[in-house]
Amino acid sequence: MAKLWAGIDAGKGHHYCVVIDAEGNRLLSQKVRNDEAELLQLLGAVLDLADSGQVVWATDLNHGGPALLIALLVGHGQELLYIPGRTVHHASKIYRGDGKTDAKDAAVIADQARMRTDLQPLRAGDEISVGLRLLTARRADKSADRVRAINRMKALLLEYFPALERAFDYTRSKGALLLLTKYRTPDGIRRAGQARIHAWLKKHGTRSSAALAKDAVEAAKSQHTIVPAQHVAEGIVAALAREIAGLNQELAEIDALIAEKVAEHRHTEVLLSMPGFGPVLAAEFLGATGGDLTVFQTADRFAGVVGLAPAPRDSGRVSGNNHRPKRYDRRLLRVFYLSGLSALKSCPASRTYYDRKRVEGKTHIQAMLSLARRRLNVIWAMLRDGTTYTPAPKMPQLLAA
């Protein structure tokens, strides 16, 4: 029975498949549309070539365009490997020819799958984890839109009304955003007066409306000059303030969906018991891992994927020259870094470990990465054993003699 390797150069509308045998001979080279019927025909053709033998599939994307293909292969019990696109790009340089085509990339993917033994198996992920990945990606997009809108709005305020730009923290104050939808120029705020602004803000349910009105009027009294095109800028500021308020509402709705969805996963109780983990970070962790750590085999290999295992840069008589790896999952590293930052405030064990690393001479970033690596080991053991986090008991202090 033959063992074949099928490389898939994945795309949006089409995929390109190349199948090779154990000697590297090309048995099939075909472009297929990203359509269930054509993908099933490709699967049948490759299995016929194998003649009941084993087929190892490999692709350069693990979600997005090839999601249907991945689901079909996993559903039919096929072995599927993931080769990052960056790896394919560098590997293609050792093959003959300078040209780049989908057929060549697919052949490189297949040949790399044939030769290498360190590639990660690719799984479709469970229903909840895939949903969480989509929700957290949506949340990241909306959060980035919100940051951009706030920065644009503050930049415009700085052009025509810098005192009002300084007066409030627009990333936190909903009342300040509401204020900008009606009162946003120095002359307009002075005409309205503190009492009217206070009453309007209070009518719309704003907290600390009196303080907001007072600060706005004080900012307006500090500027009597009208800069050119103020009427244009203030109209844009009002639109941006409404946009930011809408984004805040959308983010709140997405967070509620995430909290509801993440509660359904079997690992949620374990993850949320870990200090520093909330529903959003737990959702990002589950979405990035597919809800199953067994695919990584060991904690050390998982640390390498996360970017918490140092990569050696030794040469000649130089040894012990370790650096952060260049290829790692930035989503997972962000999860461990942010959860570690949060744990510094709520977990005495994390704070003690961090302080010890700082005393040893490590920078803040180095100490945080060391803490993240330690926490990764703990989470690995907790998920492996299905146990929740239990703080270490405090050691009793010895009485002085």
Side-chain angles (χ1 to χ4, degrees):
M1 293 185 294
K3 181 174 182 179
L4 305 181
W5 288 264
I8 303 287
D9 181 47
K12 296 179 181 178
H14 295 81
H15 309 309
Y16 205 99
C17 177
V18 169
V19 180
I20 62 175
D21 60 16
E23 287 74 36
N25 299 315
R26 192 173 300 190
L27 305 181
L28 181 145
S29 181
Q30 181 180 344
K31 182 179 181 179
V32 293
R33 195 157 55 96
N34 192 11
D35 174 78
E36 182 176 7
E38 291 197 20
L39 293 175
L40 286 173
Q41 290 178 3
L42 172 67
L43 175 60
V46 174
L47 293 179
D48 288 342
L49 284 174
D51 191 21
S52 300
Q54 182 184 5
V55 179
V56 178
W57 299 76
T59 181
D60 59 340
L61 291 176
N62 55 8
H63 63 271
L68 175 60
L69 172 65
I70 293 171
L72 286 174
L73 293 176
V74 172
H76 285 79
Q78 298 297 297
E79 182 180 355
L80 181 59
L81 302 177
Y82 170 55
I83 303 180
R86 184 173 179 176
T87 301
V88 177
H89 170 71
H90 290 295
S92 63
K93 296 177 183 178
I94 66 175
Y95 291 84
R96 184 174 58 189
D98 294 331
K100 182 189 183 304
T101 63
D102 293 343
K104 179 181 178 180
D105 289 343
V108 170
I109 292 171
D111 202 39
Q112 289 293 301
R114 177 178 69 93
M115 295 187 297
R116 298 181 61 162
T117 60
D118 60 339
L119 299 176
Q120 290 280 28
L122 182 58
R123 300 181 183 179
D126 58 61
E127 177 75 17
I128 299 174
S129 297
V130 173
L132 290 173
R133 177 175 59 79
L134 297 177
L135 283 173
T136 52
R138 176 68 170 169
R139 185 184 189 277
D141 288 341
K142 288 297 180 180
S143 181
D145 291 342
R146 177 178 178 270
V147 170
R148 284 191 292 267
I150 290 175
N151 289 338
R152 292 191 195 106
M153 186 185 71
K154 292 177 68 176
L156 280 172
L157 278 173
L158 198 60
E159 282 197 34
Y160 79 92
F161 197 175
L164 193 63
E165 190 272 337
R166 293 192 303 268
F168 305 110
D169 182 358
Y170 296 102
T171 62
R172 298 184 178 182
S173 177
K174 295 181 180 179
L177 291 173
L178 179 63
L179 174 74
L180 292 179
T181 63
K182 188 172 179 65
Y183 304 104
R184 49 193 173 269
T185 62
D187 51 330
I189 291 175
R190 285 196 302 272
R191 283 195 305 268
Q194 183 174 334
R196 184 183 299 178
I197 295 174
H198 172 211
W200 185 80
L201 290 173
K202 186 177 180 180
K203 177 182 176 181
H204 288 79
T206 302
R207 294 181 180 180
S208 305
S209 55
L212 282 169
K214 179 183 176 182
D215 292 342
V217 170
E218 288 180 355
K221 288 179 179 179
S222 69
Q223 179 179 329
H224 293 268
T225 302
I226 298 178
V227 302
Q230 173 183 283
H231 65 287
V232 176
E234 60 107 1
I236 300 175
V237 164
L240 287 170
R242 287 190 288 268
E243 179 183 342
I244 295 165
L247 289 169
N248 286 338
Q249 180 63 31
E250 287 189 62
L251 283 169
E253 293 172 357
I254 293 173
D255 285 346
L257 283 174
I258 289 174
E260 179 183 345
K261 194 73 174 177
V262 77
E264 301 174 4
H265 201 278
R266 66 186 189 278
H267 290 327
T268 298
E269 182 182 1
V270 174
L271 288 173
L272 294 184
S273 70
M274 186 71 174
F277 266 87
V280 173
L281 287 181
E284 291 185 6
F285 177 90
L286 294 170
T289 60
D292 184 11
L293 295 187
T294 58
V295 68
F296 301 104
Q297 299 177 354
T298 67
D300 291 339
R301 188 167 187 178
F302 183 46
V305 172
V306 176
L308 294 174
R313 296 288 188 273
D314 297 345
S315 179
R317 289 178 289 181
V318 177
S319 61
N321 187 24
N322 296 329
H323 294 268
R324 187 190 301 181
K326 295 182 179 179
R327 296 186 295 274
Y328 56 90
D329 191 316
R330 283 160 174 77
R331 297 169 301 168
L332 283 172
L333 182 61
R334 176 181 177 276
V335 167
F336 279 99
Y337 191 89
L338 292 182
S339 67
L341 277 177
S342 179
L344 291 181
K345 306 174 185 177
S346 59
C347 178
S350 296
R351 167 56 70 175
T352 300
Y353 183 84
Y354 171 84
D355 290 341
R356 188 171 81 237
K357 291 300 176 182
R358 293 304 305 271
V359 171
E360 292 174 1
K362 293 186 180 296
T363 65
H364 168 71
I365 299 295
Q366 291 171 333
M368 285 304 306
L369 292 176
S370 297
L371 175 61
R373 179 67 170 90
R374 185 182 180 92
R375 288 167 56 81
L376 181 146
N377 289 339
V378 174
I379 289 177
W380 178 275
M382 288 164 52
L383 293 177
R384 180 195 61 201
D385 302 335
T387 57
T388 56
Y389 179 81
T390 303
K394 295 184 178 179
M395 297 295 295
Q397 295 182 352
L398 297 176
L399 296 176

